[in-house]
Amino acid sequence: VLVTFATRHGSTADVAEAIGDELRAGGLAVDVRPLRHRPQAADYDAVVIGGPMIAGWHRAARRFLRRNRRPLSGVPTACFFTAMSLTDTGSTEVEGITLFLDPWLAKPPASPARLSRRERYATPANYLRPALDAAGEARPVSAAFFGGALDLTQLNVLEKLFVTLLVGATPGDTRNFAAVREWAAALPAALGL
């Protein structure tokens, strides 16, 4: 199994390592590799790809899906997203893709009948859209949304404005490794391994 990821400052790498460790504990052979190493999807029986949400899902993650559409169409795939905000709309799937929402991250909307701009932006369906567009017919079987880590000193001015004003993110480390391991433990069955 390939667990590959994009990261800005290392927090998504820690999530990818935790996923790899859990899959190994289940008896699978796993390579955890950053996307910058250009792993080849066709070399694996399954692929898990992840990246942070900053101003959309990380560009390298989307690029990997676009470039590997053909090999991924024949390989079971899952995606994970690290974020600082997530609106729980009550959906358990988006376009047939099973969702896993970190309970520390997912928050119900103030008014389910009328989502605010921030709440609409932070829905699983909106976060998942760039991955689905990039993947084409290579559809993931599962998508997980986990808390990330946000250090405003590591962002440029536009990113700071985006995450604080539009997303409403609060700086800090909200990673929940118990949730990461829970999702990863269920991945072999979801991926048909």
Side-chain angles (χ1 to χ4, degrees):
V1 177
L2 171 65
V3 179
T4 190
F5 61 92
T7 189
R8 287 284 303 273
H9 304 291
S11 67
T12 304
D14 295 340
V15 172
E17 288 292 346
I19 292 166
D21 289 346
E22 189 66 32
L23 292 173
R24 283 184 201 102
L28 296 173
V30 179
D31 287 339
V32 178
R33 302 194 50 200
L35 284 166
R36 71 181 187 287
H37 291 173
R38 297 185 168 267
Q40 299 300 310
D43 295 342
Y44 296 91
D45 296 322
V47 174
V48 179
I49 178 172
M53 293 294 300
I54 296 175
W57 202 35
H58 198 287
R59 184 175 39 232
R62 295 190 319 263
R63 188 178 317 119
F64 177 84
L65 287 175
R66 267 193 313 278
R67 288 181 177 167
N68 287 277
R69 282 179 173 178
R70 180 167 286 153
L72 289 174
S73 66
V75 174
T77 305
C79 297
F80 71 92
F81 303 75
T82 55
M84 296 304 292
S85 178
L86 183 69
T87 305
D88 185 354
T89 60
S91 297
T92 58
E93 68 175 46
V94 169
E95 296 183 28
I97 299 162
T98 303
L99 301 178
F100 178 92
L101 310 183
D102 177 346
W104 286 9
L105 177 66
K107 304 291 182 246
S111 173
R114 187 174 176 173
L115 300 181
S116 70
R117 176 182 287 165
R118 279 184 186 171
E119 291 169 335
R120 277 192 314 275
Y121 177 81
T123 63
N126 189 55
Y127 281 174
L128 188 54
R129 175 59 33 215
L132 296 180
D133 290 346
E137 292 182 21
R139 311 286 288 178
V141 296
S142 179
F145 300 87
F146 303 116
L150 177 62
D151 178 356
L152 291 179
T153 64
Q154 299 292 321
L155 303 179
N156 67 41
V157 173
L158 290 176
E159 291 169 336
K160 285 179 191 177
L161 290 172
F162 183 83
V163 299
T164 55
L165 297 178
L166 182 61
V167 177
T170 304
D173 188 344
T174 63
R175 293 173 295 172
N176 176 358
F177 286 99
V180 172
R181 287 188 295 275
E182 179 185 342
W183 181 67
L187 270 180
L191 294 169
L193 301 175

